[in-house]
Amino acid sequence: DPKIIQKPKYLVAVTGSEKILICEQYLGHNAMYWYRQSAKKPLEFMFSYSYQKLMDNQTASSRFQPQSSKKNHLDLQITALKPDDSATYFCASSQEQGEREVFFGKGTRLTVV
Amino acid sequence: AQKVTQTQTSISVMEKTTVTMDCVYETQDSSYFLFWYKQTASGEIVFLIRQDSYKKENATVGHYSLNFQKPKSSIGLIITATQIEDSAVYFCAMRDNNAGAKLTFGGGTRLTVRP
């Protein structure tokens, strides 16, 4: 059974719209992250959360907003979508912030048309 | 700033042979952690093995082992007795103490194992 669930698996959005990518982890981890993988760049760190608090934000744009409603949830809201936002977004987690092993979900592939 | 470079974009080997994938890294920190991940055809990213910079012994997990050459800032992944299902994209990554929880990834090496 997958321990980090991302929904939806595929998402098509219109330029200018807003979408929320869902992530839930059932590993009992306290730290959660978002990474992005596009055709142009390797896996790229976006955010880290620890105990539901934002610890690090390496995303230049404020259009990307993580939301943590529960300890094991870290959703990603993206507003004013652009074609360049097309990528696969991976949620990840680790027992604690900076823990050596980080585990990844299966990703949400976002296509902005 | 951290940087991870994988110069081999793709490798093809015969089944049951040994393959080595290269990775070099840059960091200003004296303490850091190096990782290898595998991304399967379905897109799933799987943690394989880790090397802590302060450890001299090369890490080994199953048929994965590392060739850690600290003076060269190099961390090669060795897969012995390759199997068809080892076909995937392999990513090298690092984290140092100045980066918090951030993992910096290389561009990946696509491994194809032929029967």
Side-chain angles (χ1 to χ4, degrees):
Chain A
D1 291 337
K3 301 298 185 185
I4 302 178
I5 298 172
Q6 290 190 244
K7 299 175 186 176
K9 189 172 182 179
Y10 301 101
L11 186 57
V12 178
V14 176
T15 297
S17 67
E18 172 183 315
K19 292 294 180 186
I20 296 180
L21 282 54
I22 304 295
C23 176
E24 307 171 9
Q25 56 90 4
Y26 296 94
L27 294 165
H29 289 169
N30 298 308
M32 297 184 71
Y33 316 94
W34 279 102
Y35 282 80
R36 173 170 55 192
Q37 184 179 39
S38 68
K40 298 176 184 178
K41 294 182 179 180
L43 270 161
E44 186 180 26
F45 174 87
M46 299 179 73
F47 299 97
S48 69
Y49 265 65
S50 178
Y51 294 90
Q52 294 186 267
K53 292 184 180 178
L54 177 66
M55 302 301 291
D56 194 1
N57 176 358
Q58 302 257 333
T59 304
S61 173
S62 60
R63 297 186 298 106
F64 295 84
Q65 291 291 329
Q67 301 170 343
S68 181
S69 59
K70 297 180 185 179
K71 178 184 171 184
N72 67 328
H73 283 231
L74 185 65
D75 300 335
L76 181 64
Q77 179 185 40
I78 314 174
T79 57
L81 279 159
K82 303 177 180 180
D84 270 356
D85 296 331
S86 297
T88 300
Y89 292 81
F90 288 94
C91 177
S93 72
S94 62
Q95 185 63 51
E96 299 292 340
Q97 171 86 357
E99 193 75 9
R100 294 178 178 117
E101 275 79 47
V102 174
F103 299 91
F104 285 78
K106 295 189 176 184
T108 292
R109 182 178 290 182
L110 172 66
T111 302
V112 183
V113 298
Chain B
Q2 302 175 92
K3 186 177 179 181
V4 178
T5 304
Q6 296 177 251
T7 56
Q8 301 157 305
T9 54
S10 65
I11 300 175
S12 180
V13 299
M14 296 291 292
E15 191 178 14
K16 300 179 184 177
T17 60
T18 295
V19 63
T20 299
M21 282 175 266
D22 301 329
C23 175
V24 292
Y25 57 89
E26 295 177 26
T27 178
Q28 303 299 317
D29 208 330
S30 58
S31 177
Y32 49 89
F33 305 94
L34 301 161
F35 308 85
W36 279 89
Y37 284 84
K38 164 185 175 180
Q39 186 168 33
T40 65
S42 67
E44 188 175 3
I45 299 171
V46 180
F47 167 76
L48 296 177
I49 192 169
R50 178 189 97 237
Q51 179 78 37
D52 299 345
S53 65
Y54 58 86
K55 291 188 177 178
K56 293 184 179 180
E57 305 80 24
N58 289 320
T60 298
V61 176
H63 75 145
Y64 302 108
S65 61
L66 297 177
N67 180 17
F68 180 40
Q69 299 184 60
K70 196 170 182 178
K72 295 183 179 180
S73 296
S74 170
I75 183 74
L77 173 68
I78 303 167
I79 307 176
T80 56
T82 51
Q83 303 164 6
I84 302 296
E85 51 266 34
D86 290 324
S87 296
V89 178
Y90 289 79
F91 291 98
C92 178
M94 76 171 298
R95 182 179 70 78
D96 65 31
N97 286 335
N98 290 325
K102 174 185 173 182
L103 286 172
T104 298
F105 284 84
T109 297
R110 180 175 297 277
L111 174 67
T112 302
V113 181
R114 307 187 311 274

